[in-house]
Amino acid sequence: MSIEIYIDLVLVIFLVITGLAVIYVRNLFAVAMLSGIYSLLMASIFVVLDAVDVAFTEASVGAGISTVLMLGVLAITGNREKVSHKSSVLPLLIVIGTGSLLVYGTWDLPMFGDPNAPVHMHVAPEYISNTYKHTGMPNIVTAVLASYRGYDTLGEVGVIFTAGIGVLLLLSKRKTKKEVNQQNKLKEKL
Amino acid sequence: MELILSHINYWVAILLMMIGFYALIARGNLVKTIVGLNIFQASVFLLYITFGKVSGGTAPILQKNTELYSNPLPHVLILTAIVVGVATTSLGLALVVRIYESYGTIEEDEIAELDSKEEN
């Protein structure tokens, strides 16, 4: 076993603690910061697992933009989570049921880092050996994303564009704070 | 011990999925629901990246004197998924803002209460 697995182990334990804290903490600003920390830890794990491109995307998008968006929303909606009176027994049962089924499914999975795992046998070696010949790019992830699967990436841009339009449509009919205050005053009078 | 070390990432991915799933279905606060959704998503990312790792391999950037690279294909998939994930997050948060402005609250049970009052 290489040293990587031990670094991974430590980071993964931090990750679980952060996840549990997200459920436990009721201050939503703290939850937003915890979700940023969670993404940053996830990015560190991606570096350990050799996924450097994914790591810096996760660090900038997950820990950066998502946290900023969440803080922006919390500035509008306020930061306290109400104590819930809902019973948490049924959700807990569902979650534990799903989890144990999935754990049962992991017995068949290949060992961590096994070079003979089926996932490394089929298409990946061709990309690794031919990418430089075909595209002239040393970074295989970039080559696949922008060259081999360029149209898929274009489709992804379409998805983000649609989401952007959706956000714009949802937020363009917002009332200003002044109008909301006036409305509240009217309601109080009635 | 070896089994634990070699499967720990899968189990942690499942544990994180459970945490995210729980936050998603058991918590009434809409912002927390979205954080739960993010945790759920990231756990799937962890699972995929774990599949791509080859021990002794390096990051899939071609260089001289290196033979063994980790599998680049899961990385490509997850790179796309992260970006789509932030798009869904932003859409969800925009919906939360709209709900807050219409109802004055982001707690699910209070919203349901207001709705049932309106119907009566």
Side-chain angles (χ1 to χ4, degrees):
Chain A
M1 286 276 165
S2 51
I3 185 79
E4 288 157 345
I5 185 74
Y6 295 102
I7 302 173
D8 180 74
L9 195 67
V10 174
L11 287 171
V12 139
I13 289 168
F14 283 156
L15 205 59
V16 172
I17 294 171
T18 318
L20 289 173
V22 166
I23 292 190
Y24 184 73
V25 172
R26 293 208 173 271
N27 185 324
L28 291 176
F29 275 117
V31 169
M33 292 330 287
L34 280 171
S35 98
I37 293 170
Y38 178 87
S39 292
L40 203 62
L41 283 170
M42 196 58 104
S44 327
I45 291 178
F46 289 161
V47 173
V48 176
L49 298 180
D50 292 344
V52 281
D53 304 79
V54 185
F56 69 68
T57 312
E58 175 74 27
S60 62
V61 169
I65 296 174
S66 290
T67 313
V68 170
L69 287 176
M70 226 164 271
L71 289 176
V73 169
L74 290 179
I76 298 172
T77 62
N79 68 340
R80 284 306 292 181
E81 184 190 6
K82 207 179 54 122
V83 179
S84 172
H85 300 295
K86 269 200 289 186
S87 156
S88 58
V89 177
L90 182 66
L92 211 58
L93 279 180
I94 295 175
V95 165
I96 290 173
T98 335
S100 36
L101 273 178
L102 286 171
V103 168
Y104 172 70
T106 58
W107 295 120
D108 287 347
L109 290 177
M111 306 282 265
F112 176 78
D114 182 6
N116 296 317
V119 64
H120 306 306
M121 293 288 109
H122 185 43
V123 191
E126 284 166 37
Y127 278 112
I128 290 174
S129 55
N130 293 331
T131 294
Y132 197 75
K133 251 188 287 172
H134 289 164
T135 64
M137 269 186 259
N139 187 335
I140 303 170
V141 176
T142 313
V144 175
L145 203 70
S147 179
Y148 290 110
R149 298 257 70 90
Y151 284 115
D152 293 359
T153 307
L154 186 65
E156 183 193 336
V157 174
V159 170
I160 296 162
F161 182 70
T162 316
I165 299 267
V167 172
L168 277 180
L169 285 175
L170 279 170
L171 297 186
S172 61
K173 285 193 175 171
R174 286 178 59 194
K175 292 167 193 155
T176 57
K177 225 172 196 173
K178 215 173 168 185
E179 284 170 327
V180 174
N181 282 341
Q182 277 175 348
Q183 210 172 31
N184 286 348
K185 273 179 194 165
L186 269 179
K187 268 185 195 166
E188 278 169 19
K189 274 181 192 169
L190 291 172
Chain B
M1 187 64 191
E2 188 136 336
L3 180 79
I4 293 175
L5 276 183
S6 71
H7 279 64
I8 189 82
N9 266 27
Y10 304 138
W11 293 334
V12 165
I14 290 168
L15 194 61
L16 292 173
M17 186 227 91
M18 287 162 70
I19 292 171
F21 194 23
Y22 180 80
L24 200 60
I25 59 179
R27 283 314 167 92
N29 188 291
L30 293 176
V31 172
K32 209 159 197 181
T33 315
I34 288 179
V35 175
L37 192 68
N38 278 341
I39 291 180
F40 198 138
Q41 265 178 348
S43 75
V44 180
F45 301 164
L46 178 63
L47 189 72
Y48 266 69
I49 299 297
T50 306
F51 286 138
K53 171 73 181 158
V54 176
S55 28
T58 61
I61 299 170
L62 299 169
Q63 50 196 319
K64 279 172 195 161
N65 310 324
T66 315
E67 286 292 307
L68 203 57
Y69 298 102
S70 286
N71 194 332
L73 299 182
H75 302 180
V76 178
L77 286 174
I78 295 311
L79 212 52
T80 310
I82 288 176
V83 177
V84 172
V86 80
T88 50
T89 304
S90 57
L91 201 61
L93 287 173
L95 277 171
V96 170
V97 169
R98 285 294 294 137
I99 288 171
Y100 180 75
E101 283 173 352
S102 302
Y103 290 88
T105 174
I106 52 169
E107 300 286 343
E108 262 172 16
D109 39 358
E110 287 176 5
I111 294 168
E113 217 171 276
L114 287 170
D115 266 347
S116 60
K117 257 186 207 165
E118 215 161 84
E119 274 170 25
N120 289 335

